[in-house]
Amino acid sequence: MDTKKVEKIAKALADPNRLLILKELRKNQDCLYCSDMYEFIDLTQPSISHHLKQLSDAELVIPVKEGRYVKYHLNAAMIDQYVEFLQTLKS
Amino acid sequence: MDTKKVEKIAKALADPNRLLILKELRKNQDCLYCSDMYEFIDLTQPSISHHLKQLSDAELVIPVKEGRYVKYHLNAAMIDQYVEFLQTLKS
DNA sequence: TAGACGTATTGAAATGTTTCGATAGATTAA
DNA sequence: TTAATCTATCGAAACATTTCAATACGTCTA
């Protein structure tokens, strides 16, 4: 995993609202509609959309369009890759 | 590991210069003097000091005073704890 | 096809982070 | 004790991120 990617993932993980999204994804069998998120995040729609974009750009979540809805899936494989990188920081 | 701590670690890891410091620490048996860091980071002394503080506050590195020098040690245990948290994000 | 609905984008304000020059503090060397 | 050395802190400028209101874009449904 290259440095750019590591940085993007680290930044995506460095925000309480985005962590909350990831936690709630896990609670919900790893997928949620955009519109579900109003229930646990106290932000406006554009802000939530912005955070989802950060997570998508980092490939920590994967957006799947379903008509006018978008379902977001957790990408556990990307977490694994990031963890692998963190392990290399240790001797 | 509580959310505040997770956030602090994630932020500390979300900067290319700080990642570089961690990588170089690994290369050098997990410890480096502040003054060693000029060799691989192209920043002024106050900036490097600032980054070391972020890493220390996150407990990713541990500063040990040796006279007028400070030796920074990698804290692998904290990386492990963070990895453990990341694992809980997966189902 | 027109209106309603869900999501994304834009632009701007507020806030946070990074960086550096200047300077302070603490320790060693002369 | 004085000067030199290493690290930390302060204050300010530059830059990046977060947030929202307004609006645009797709898609569904009536």
Side-chain angles (χ1 to χ4, degrees):
Chain A
M1 179 175 264
D2 70 353
T3 303
K4 278 276 170 219
K5 184 76 187 177
V6 164
E7 225 184 298
K8 193 163 238 176
I9 292 177
K11 277 187 188 173
L13 291 171
D15 177 275
N17 289 306
R18 291 194 289 268
L19 284 177
L20 191 50
I21 290 172
L22 295 176
K23 283 183 189 170
E24 291 290 328
L25 276 171
R26 183 181 57 73
K27 276 197 208 161
N28 289 271
Q29 286 74 47
D30 293 354
C31 64
L32 277 177
Y33 292 102
C34 215
S35 47
D36 293 331
M37 311 212 181
Y38 294 99
E39 288 173 24
F40 56 86
I41 304 189
D42 192 26
L43 289 176
T44 60
Q45 180 270 323
S47 299
I48 294 177
S49 183
H50 164 75
H51 287 304
L52 287 169
K53 183 158 173 43
Q54 308 269 94
L55 290 170
S56 301
D57 286 353
E59 295 178 282
L60 286 166
V61 303
I62 300 192
V64 177
K65 229 184 160 199
E66 289 187 2
R68 63 184 155 178
Y69 295 82
V70 179
K71 200 170 198 172
Y72 283 90
H73 293 259
L74 184 73
N75 185 9
M78 193 54 67
I79 293 179
D80 285 334
Q81 283 184 52
Y82 184 55
V83 164
E84 238 175 89
F85 161 77
L86 290 177
Q87 302 288 8
T88 70
L89 290 178
K90 303 187 299 169
S91 298
Chain B
M1 179 175 263
D2 70 351
T3 303
K4 279 277 172 219
K5 185 75 186 177
V6 165
E7 225 185 297
K8 194 165 238 175
I9 293 178
K11 277 186 187 171
L13 291 171
D15 177 276
N17 290 306
R18 291 194 289 268
L19 283 177
L20 192 49
I21 290 172
L22 294 176
K23 283 182 189 173
E24 291 290 328
L25 276 171
R26 183 180 58 75
K27 275 196 209 162
N28 289 272
Q29 288 71 47
D30 293 353
C31 63
L32 277 177
Y33 292 102
C34 216
S35 48
D36 294 330
M37 310 212 182
Y38 294 99
E39 289 173 22
F40 56 85
I41 304 189
D42 191 25
L43 288 177
T44 60
Q45 180 270 321
S47 299
I48 294 177
S49 183
H50 163 76
H51 287 303
L52 286 168
K53 183 157 173 43
Q54 308 267 96
L55 289 170
S56 300
D57 286 353
E59 293 177 282
L60 286 167
V61 302
I62 300 190
V64 176
K65 231 186 158 194
E66 288 187 4
R68 64 183 156 183
Y69 294 83
V70 179
K71 199 171 200 173
Y72 283 89
H73 294 259
L74 184 72
N75 185 9
M78 193 52 68
I79 293 180
D80 285 334
Q81 283 184 51
Y82 184 55
V83 164
E84 235 175 273
F85 161 78
L86 290 177
Q87 302 289 7
T88 68
L89 290 178
K90 302 188 300 172
S91 299

